[in-house]
Amino acid sequence: EVQLVESGGVLVQPGGSLRLSCAASGFTFSRYWMSWVRQAPGKGLEWVANIEHGGDMKYYGDSVRGRFTVSRDDAKNSLYLEMTYLRVEDTAVYYCARTVSSRGRRPDYFDHWGQGTLVTVSS
Amino acid sequence: QTVVTQEPSFSVSPGGTVTLTCGLNSGSVSGNNFPSWYQQTPGQAPRMVIYDTNSLSSGVPDRFSGSIIGNKAALTITGAQADDECIYYCVLFMSSSGALLFGGGTRLTVL
């Protein structure tokens, strides 16, 4: 059974930094793209970033590019999101999601999701 | 700025058929956007329903189907049930940037 468990969400001040983790199990982690998706309280879903198997290719949403960094450790079956220069509008539940390609080189859908970890940015 | 559009809300009677749509504020949705659809109930993680326009996710009832209708992606529920009531999100792949864009979600009420 695929399991994704996020951790690291806390209350942090604006301008601060935070690192989220996602522990994966139940599948061969190193063979899959992985993504972070977030959801602000009472709002819709927003793709944040994804990283290919191997970790060389990384892509980011416009609202986080230059501030957030996605990484992975395939030996530890773990995905990470390093968040810097945090803003109030970064407050959200952050989900880790396994990401798959239908037919192309780049991934286009999220087939398994974790339960999320809450990041609150507030003074 | 590219925006993915969805109806904010929709209502269907139990046993009825409903079609939710997913469009672009500029341009048409095609199979090359690999539309996917997700259900989300309050306090829960999303669950994939449809991928690659019309492929049914494992374990999802076959009353759900996906298609392209005109210039939009569509999710059709045939024979809606009470536990289909939730928010539905679509995702489109944008080949020019590789970005995955979510629609704003459609809140479906079954009553």
Side-chain angles (χ1 to χ4, degrees):
Chain A
E1 178 192 3
V2 173
Q3 286 200 328
L4 299 167
V5 180
E6 302 91 339
S7 61
V10 293
L11 171 64
V12 61
Q13 290 190 340
S17 299
L18 193 61
R19 188 196 201 201
L20 304 183
S21 300
C22 170
S25 60
F27 65 102
T28 305
F29 181 75
S30 61
R31 294 183 181 176
Y32 286 87
W33 285 77
M34 297 295 296
S35 296
W36 289 98
V37 176
R38 69 183 181 182
Q39 186 169 35
K43 303 297 184 182
L45 298 164
E46 179 188 13
W47 170 70
V48 172
N50 59 24
I51 182 170
E52 71 156 350
H53 34 76
D56 288 338
M57 295 171 67
K58 306 174 184 182
Y59 299 92
Y60 299 91
D62 290 343
S63 61
V64 307
R65 188 178 298 113
R67 299 187 300 124
F68 291 9
T69 302
V70 61
S71 63
R72 63 192 294 160
D73 185 337
D74 288 349
K76 295 182 177 180
N77 290 341
S78 293
L79 175 73
Y80 306 102
L81 185 67
E82 193 79 37
M83 302 185 292
T84 62
Y85 301 103
L86 282 161
R87 306 166 179 167
V88 170
E89 54 265 34
D90 294 319
T91 295
V93 173
Y94 284 74
Y95 294 102
C96 161
R98 195 174 79 169
T99 318
V100 184
S101 171
S102 295
R103 287 173 277 125
R105 290 183 61 244
R106 296 283 301 275
D108 54 84
Y109 66 92
F110 312 100
D111 69 343
H112 288 88
W113 299 66
Q115 286 302 307
T117 187
L118 176 62
V119 173
T120 303
V121 184
S122 174
S123 54
Chain B
Q1 182 184 3
T2 302
V3 175
V4 178
T5 60
Q6 294 186 249
E7 299 88 356
S9 62
F10 232 115
S11 183
V12 62
S13 299
T17 296
V18 63
T19 297
L20 312 182
T21 68
C22 174
L24 288 168
N25 64 334
S26 57
S28 299
V29 176
S30 75
N32 291 328
N33 294 117
F34 304 108
S36 55
W37 293 86
Y38 304 81
Q39 293 176 313
Q40 189 180 34
T41 53
Q44 298 297 313
R47 172 199 184 198
M48 189 177 70
V49 178
I50 294 285
Y51 65 98
D52 193 12
T53 305
N54 55 17
S55 296
L56 194 65
S57 182
S58 177
V60 173
D62 62 4
R63 63 179 181 273
F64 290 88
S65 63
S67 63
I68 299 286
I69 299 177
N71 62 352
K72 295 183 178 183
L75 174 70
T76 299
I77 308 172
T78 304
Q81 299 184 4
D83 59 4
D84 296 335
E85 184 167 291
C86 64
I87 299 177
Y88 289 85
Y89 292 95
C90 69
V91 171
L92 299 178
F93 172 74
M94 309 306 293
S95 58
S96 58
S97 63
L100 292 164
L101 298 183
F102 281 87
T106 297
R107 183 180 298 274
L108 180 67
T109 301
V110 180
L111 54 75

